[in-house]
Amino acid sequence: IIDFAEENKENNYKYLIIGKGKNDYILNIKKEISKRNLQDIIKIEEFKPYKDLHKYLSIADICLAPFKITSTTNVMEVGKIITYLLMGKKVLATRAKGVESLYKKNINYYENEDYNDFKNKLNKIILDKSYKFDSNKRRKFAEKFDFKKIIDTEYKIVEEALKNNSNKSTNFEKYDF
């Protein structure tokens, strides 16, 4: 996002990064933001309690869900995406089988560690004024993705993944909601 922010300075976009990471990782991000003189457009906030998250999301146009693909992230959904969608936000996430099987076309994806794909998809989302995740769609989504159902399904997926050896892959399609 730092590269994207630097390349798009003239567009007056603002970026808010919320969360926590390892101290050295956050320090390196802050140093990079400072080095590139982007501290006026990129702000970093520490982890926020879930009950306060809506205050920050309400001002966002687009929410990002980037993550490194690992054996765990490839089969687990990213819970924050549910919150983003329930708030009616456009979402751009790393493409992973588990995430894609749950959210399908409700969110946008970019290829893992492919900055050009990330940049192109983010620009496309920014320019897309037709996106509408209306209240009816949000209600249906909330019913479909209630946390008990998600936890039960994730448990089944992880259980199957653990049963399979590394030469086999988990069939995510049968876990479709």
Side-chain angles (χ1 to χ4, degrees):
I1 198 69
I2 296 171
D3 290 339
F4 186 85
E6 186 172 49
E7 291 172 15
N8 288 278
K9 270 185 172 179
E10 73 284 351
N11 291 323
N12 295 319
Y13 300 147
K14 302 289 185 208
Y15 308 87
L16 177 60
I17 300 170
I18 301 173
K20 66 177 187 173
K22 294 180 180 175
N23 285 339
D24 57 338
Y25 179 72
I26 297 296
L27 283 174
N28 286 335
I29 289 175
K30 287 179 178 179
K31 284 179 188 174
E32 192 63 29
I33 289 168
S34 216
K35 179 177 140 187
R36 298 186 195 195
N37 198 25
L38 298 171
Q39 55 272 41
D40 290 339
I41 61 173
I42 301 177
K43 302 291 182 197
I44 297 179
E45 291 281 335
E46 291 185 8
F47 175 81
K48 300 294 176 199
Y50 186 78
K51 67 180 180 61
D52 296 334
L53 204 51
H54 70 281
K55 297 173 190 174
Y56 296 89
L57 294 179
S58 66
I59 62 171
D61 294 314
I62 300 167
C63 295
L64 304 177
F67 53 92
K68 290 193 181 281
I69 301 291
T70 65
S71 58
T72 303
T73 61
N74 204 30
V75 297
M76 303 293 279
E77 60 83 26
V78 179
K80 63 185 170 185
I81 294 173
I82 294 170
T83 304
Y84 297 163
L85 289 172
L86 291 175
M87 293 282 298
K89 302 302 176 181
K90 298 176 187 178
V91 178
L92 179 60
T94 306
R95 183 181 306 279
K97 290 177 186 177
V99 173
E100 204 167 10
S101 71
L102 285 174
Y103 299 111
K104 300 184 180 6
K105 294 182 180 181
N106 287 303
I107 67 173
N108 301 281
Y109 304 94
Y110 69 94
E111 299 305 322
N112 187 39
E113 298 185 14
D114 184 339
Y115 174 69
N116 285 327
D117 191 41
F118 170 81
K119 176 175 68 171
N120 292 335
K121 299 279 176 59
L122 187 53
N123 276 318
K124 183 179 176 187
I125 294 167
I126 289 169
L127 297 173
D128 180 8
K129 304 298 181 201
S130 67
Y131 180 82
K132 185 91 170 133
F133 204 72
D134 62 34
S135 60
N136 187 42
K137 192 170 184 179
R138 285 197 297 259
R139 184 175 51 258
K140 286 181 181 177
F141 189 81
E143 291 167 0
K144 181 177 178 178
F145 287 97
D146 74 79
F147 284 107
K148 179 167 178 11
K149 189 174 186 179
I150 290 169
I151 290 168
D152 290 346
T153 302
E154 284 185 353
Y155 181 79
K156 289 174 187 173
I157 291 170
V158 170
E159 208 171 46
E160 181 177 333
L162 290 172
K163 285 180 188 175
N164 289 334
N165 63 34
S166 60
N167 296 328
K168 297 180 183 176
S169 64
T170 302
N171 178 5
F172 297 105
E173 292 304 315
K174 69 182 181 182
Y175 294 107
D176 188 28
F177 289 96

